[in-house]
Amino acid sequence: MSFDLNDAGPQMAPMGELIPDGTFAKVMMKLRPGGANGASEMDAGLLKASPHSDAKMLDCEFTVTEGPYARRKFWQNFTVAGGKLDEKGQSKGWNISKSTFRAMIDSALGLKPDDLSESARSKRVIAGLKQLDGITFAARIMVEAPDNPNYRDSNKIANVVLPNEPAYAAIMRGEIVPPEPVNAPPRKSLAAVPAAWNAQAPAQTGWSNAPQQAPAAQAQPGAPTSAATRGGAPAWLNS
């Protein structure tokens, strides 16, 4: 058997232009199952295993929901287990991603990052990463240049915009906010950079300038899921 390729049409055109660096937008995150199991029962088959280490990642698809770039998509991985460890033997990638996920919940639910009330803390407890599927929040989008010249630049989340930031309300209303370019330089080494983009300390929330205390009730991969944890998750995450 042979394949005659002479009558094939021209190759597809490249994908559309990137979302401009520094664009503020309301985005929705969908999770793309990768076949590897997470720590909780609901995360079975949800994660993607790294081909280069023991790291497991959350494969996320982001869709702009409103404005001039509505329906535009971009993709990003967040390390949630394994990989490089800190001095306490904890996954550096997970601590970074955990801060980002907390910021997403704060942004989605309108929680001030310094709100450590019992009500706010309970809303930051989730029974599994699967509950983040469909979360919608305010974000600043960046253009990231790869080290490998064979790959194109790509869009990533630069930071989650929190309710205590000036642009938050306008972004969540779907209004156009002037961009603030990140101008990120090319990464030094693909192997040296965690899969999660956020380089802040685990005790901080999002990219708020003021350091925040992380809630003591944070759920972590590997921790048992109690009935109290299931009951404390935001109602919109339980669907």
Side-chain angles (χ1 to χ4, degrees), residues 171-189:
I171 297 170
M172 293 301 281
R173 288 194 299 265
E175 299 175 7
I176 297 176
V177 177
E180 294 182 9
V182 178
N183 297 318
R187 291 168 292 171
K188 291 182 180 180
S189 171

Side-chain angles (χ1 to χ4, degrees), residues 48-57 77:
K48 180 172 73 173
S50 168
H52 308 295
S53 72
D54 66 342
K56 292 183 179 180
M57 298 167 286
N77 293 325

Side-chain angles (χ1 to χ4, degrees), residues 3-224:
F3 297 93
D4 185 354
L5 307 181
N6 288 291
D7 60 350
Q11 64 178 335
M12 295 179 62
M15 294 177 64
E17 294 182 358
L18 294 173
I19 299 170
D21 188 41
T23 294
F24 289 100
K26 189 175 179 180
V27 302
M28 180 181 69
M29 182 173 78
K30 295 294 293 180
L31 307 182
R32 305 196 298 176
N37 293 334
S40 70
E41 183 177 348
M42 71 170 60
D43 292 342
L46 181 66
L47 305 182
K48 180 172 73 173
S50 168
H52 308 295
S53 72
D54 66 342
K56 292 183 179 180
M57 298 167 286
L58 202 60
D59 184 355
C60 303
E61 177 183 271
F62 296 95
T63 303
V64 177
T65 63
E66 299 181 43
Y69 302 104
R71 296 185 297 280
R72 295 281 289 275
K73 298 179 183 291
F74 58 98
W75 297 266
Q76 186 166 347
N77 293 325
F78 294 90
T79 297
V80 297
K84 292 186 176 182
L85 305 179
D86 61 17
E87 63 280 0
K88 297 180 180 180
Q90 299 177 342
S91 167
K92 290 183 177 180
W94 163 242
N95 284 331
I96 290 169
S97 299
K98 181 168 63 173
S99 294
T100 305
F101 298 153
R102 173 182 165 169
M104 289 178 183
I105 291 176
D106 282 356
S107 182
L109 299 182
L111 299 175
K112 297 286 182 66
D114 59 353
D115 184 354
L116 300 179
S117 66
E118 200 60 40
S119 174
R121 289 163 65 93
S122 68
K123 292 175 182 177
R124 298 186 184 110
V125 178
I126 57 176
L129 297 172
K130 176 65 177 176
Q131 290 188 315
L132 294 173
D133 192 35
I135 191 170
T136 300
F137 58 92
R140 181 165 64 134
I141 301 167
M142 65 185 286
V143 173
E144 183 179 75
D147 285 336
N148 191 329
N150 293 323
Y151 293 92
R152 303 173 66 242
D153 293 355
S154 60
N155 284 129
K156 304 290 182 183
I157 296 288
N159 59 279
V160 176
V161 181
L162 297 167
N164 61 339
E165 298 180 49
Y168 173 80
I171 297 170
M172 293 301 281
R173 288 194 299 265
E175 299 175 7
I176 297 176
V177 177
E180 294 182 9
V182 178
N183 297 318
R187 291 168 292 171
K188 291 182 180 180
S189 171
L190 291 175
V193 180
W197 54 267
N198 187 342
Q200 58 192 330
Q204 293 183 349
T205 307
W207 280 50
S208 173
N209 290 329
Q212 309 295 340
Q213 179 182 352
Q218 279 288 24
Q220 299 186 24

